[in-house]
Amino acid sequence: MTADENSTTGDKTSDKLRSVSALHVARQAGVSRSAVSRAFTPGASVATETREKIMRAAEELGYQVNDLARGLLANQSRLVGLVVTKPEVGFRAHLTAALTKALIHRGNVPVMINTGQTEQELISAQKTLLGHRAEATIILSGSPPSSFFELARRNGQPLVVIGRSEPEADHIQTDGSAAAKLAAALFVARGMTKLGLAGSLSGTPTITEREDAFCAEAARLGAEVVIARGRDTDYAGGLQAGNALIDSQDRPQAIFCVNDLIAFGVMDHARQAGLDIPGDLSVIGFDDVPEAGWLAYRLTTFRQDPEMMAARAVALLDMRQRQPDLAPIRERFNVPLVVRGSFVPHDAERLPDSSS
């Protein structure tokens, strides 16, 4: 093969790899580059015959409008950042999926950054999103420092924080405190006065809120609480907490678990120890992930609705973009108890929003 043949082959390969541009469409349709741009701009003026030629050429070539370039020219990329730690785990996985679907339906391009919870990691994630002109950020991780909010404010970027209260940003929370108090009250109403709390050393605001509320309400009702915390809010953490609670001399009659993954670990350890659920031990979880309904668990738990939370997050973005000077918006939702086999409250049929 000659050098010229090599060169020709290389050019053909480059053409195949090169994306189809508006200029290619213009040449194919025999029109100007600006006519192609107008044809793909809603409301722009272009003759019907010209538009038809352009659309036919675009279809033949497989042309797609470069929305990213168009958005950057308008300083509106349509990118929305999702800052989240361990997006594949537990309820967070379902919430991340729901947010992604809701943002795509809104016309956004979700960009997920899987990051840690330290200030340096969160600021690094934010700078990445700002560098790509993300129009907003939704935070599911950590407790962002004040510099995070200040940087967003200077760049005019809306923030929505899910799962914790942040005075400087719009935020969405479920009422974990009310749920934890109800769990304690339901146990006591069944005559259970020796209670357990399966928590987590992660110490996130949502977990701490549930732990504190359960212990305070149990104490107010005259019940004793034994606390055990796993290293993290996952199945392994549940096994650790279950081991500490169930193998102790002072085994509780009922255990409130700060999330479902921990509850699964507690329940599996209890069964390995020869205990019947709920005969020997009652368990309530929090989240209502799909596995909670599996026959292996049939977990009574408080339900967080990821689809509803995602819809509210998108609604907050819409509201903030329409009215950027509004005071921070705070939304807090009740979570219904879903009654299954791990614990059946006294007069369960009278509980609002419960299901068997």
Side-chain angles (χ1 to χ4, degrees):
M1 182 178 288
T2 66
D4 286 342
E5 287 172 328
N6 259 324
S7 175
T8 302
T9 302
D11 287 343
K12 288 180 179 177
T13 301
S14 297
D15 286 343
K16 289 179 181 178
L17 295 175
R18 190 181 299 127
S19 61
V20 178
S21 71
L23 184 57
H24 292 115
V25 176
R27 289 171 178 168
Q28 178 90 347
V31 299
S32 67
R33 168 66 179 77
S34 61
V36 175
S37 178
R38 291 196 306 276
F40 284 94
T41 300
S45 176
V46 60
T48 301
E49 183 180 350
T50 301
R51 184 188 300 277
E52 289 175 353
K53 285 198 298 184
I54 291 170
M55 293 305 174
R56 188 163 53 249
E59 184 175 352
E60 290 170 357
L61 294 172
Y63 171 71
Q64 294 293 320
V65 176
N66 189 334
D67 287 325
L68 179 59
R70 178 176 287 187
L72 290 176
L73 287 172
N75 200 30
Q76 189 177 30
S77 68
R78 303 302 291 165
L79 301 179
V80 172
L82 299 176
V83 178
V84 53
T85 301
K86 297 182 180 178
E88 73 282 3
V89 175
F91 176 74
R92 203 177 301 122
H94 302 286
L95 179 55
T96 301
L99 283 166
T100 300
K101 184 166 62 175
L103 288 168
I104 290 172
H105 181 74
R106 184 178 185 254
N108 291 116
V109 179
V111 178
M112 185 175 68
I113 297 186
N114 185 353
T115 185
Q117 300 187 42
T118 68
E119 177 175 343
Q120 182 178 359
E121 288 169 321
L122 287 165
I123 291 295
S124 177
Q126 183 187 36
K127 287 182 176 179
T128 297
L129 291 170
L130 289 172
H132 285 80
R133 299 297 187 268
E135 68 175 62
T137 297
I138 300 174
I139 306 166
L140 286 77
S141 301
S143 296
S146 59
S147 56
F148 192 104
F149 299 101
E150 180 58 31
L151 185 58
R153 188 181 299 112
R154 288 202 304 267
N155 283 271
Q157 187 191 65
L159 298 176
V160 174
V161 181
I162 299 180
R164 54 190 50 80
S165 175
E166 295 292 346
E168 299 178 79
D170 299 330
H171 68 250
I172 294 171
Q173 284 181 292
T174 52
D175 197 343
S177 177
K181 289 179 180 179
L182 178 58
L186 292 174
F187 285 150
V188 172
R190 288 297 304 265
M192 301 169 179
T193 57
K194 187 179 292 185
L195 308 181
L197 170 72
S200 168
L201 293 175
S202 64
T204 62
T206 52
I207 295 302
T208 300
E209 177 188 52
R210 295 169 201 172
E211 292 180 353
D212 291 348
F214 179 81
C215 292
E217 183 66 7
R220 189 186 72 81
L221 296 172
E224 174 190 352
V225 179
V226 181
I227 303 172
R229 295 184 177 92
R231 189 179 69 172
D232 208 343
T233 48
D234 56 12
Y235 180 79
L239 288 175
Q240 292 167 351
N243 178 70
L245 291 169
I246 293 163
D247 295 353
S248 70
Q249 295 292 324
D250 200 26
R251 177 170 60 81
Q253 301 162 291
I255 299 175
F256 173 59
C257 304
V258 294
N259 77 1
D260 288 350
L261 295 185
I262 285 182
F264 300 152
V266 167
M267 294 173 75
D268 283 347
H269 183 80
R271 288 172 178 141
Q272 279 196 332
L275 299 181
D276 175 71
I277 298 174
D280 300 317
L281 177 71
S282 292
V283 179
I284 294 178
F286 194 104
D287 281 338
D288 196 30
V289 297
E291 296 86 345
W294 289 5
L295 294 178
Y297 295 110
R298 299 192 64 243
L299 176 65
T300 295
T301 185
F302 292 96
R303 173 166 175 75
Q304 295 196 95
D305 186 339
E307 302 289 342
M308 181 273 290
M309 294 174 72
R312 292 310 305 156
V314 167
L316 284 183
L317 290 182
D318 289 338
M319 190 178 301
R320 179 58 56 192
Q321 289 181 335
R322 288 194 305 268
Q323 303 180 67
D325 296 325
L326 278 178
I329 302 166
R330 302 174 177 86
E331 297 193 357
R332 191 172 175 90
F333 305 101
N334 292 326
V335 285
L337 182 70
V338 180
V339 178
R340 298 191 180 96
S342 68
F343 172 71
V344 179
H346 180 63
D347 291 337
E349 68 277 3
R350 297 183 183 180
L351 284 172
D353 298 317
S354 67
S355 62
S356 55

